[in-house]
Amino acid sequence: MSTVRQLHPAIGVVVNPVAGVGGPVGLVGSDGAAVQREAYARGARARATDRAAVALAALADVLR
């Protein structure tokens, strides 16, 4: 008896957790520790990880 296995696609994701942290508080870019510190001092909050989770959840819904 042969076994047939169904293959499921895999997606690898790399998320920069500080991507875009400066924009909402009026800074351009988020490269460098000094800019990131200033962004957080102005009240910024890292949202890239949350946004990636929402996007991947939506993708998972489409693929079901």
Side-chain angles (χ1 to χ4, degrees), residues 5-55:
R5 223 171 56 166
Q6 211 172 20
L7 299 179
H8 299 280
I11 297 174
V13 178
V14 176
V15 177
N16 175 355
V18 295
V21 75
V25 292
L27 299 173
V28 177
S30 56
D31 292 340
V35 174
Q36 293 165 19
R37 278 193 302 275
E38 179 63 24
Y40 292 125
R42 293 184 185 190
R45 144 178 130 58
R47 300 183 300 181
T49 303
D50 295 338
R51 288 178 173 180
V54 169

Side-chain angles (χ1 to χ4, degrees), residues 3 6 23 64:
T3 302
Q6 211 172 20
R64 284 186 197 144

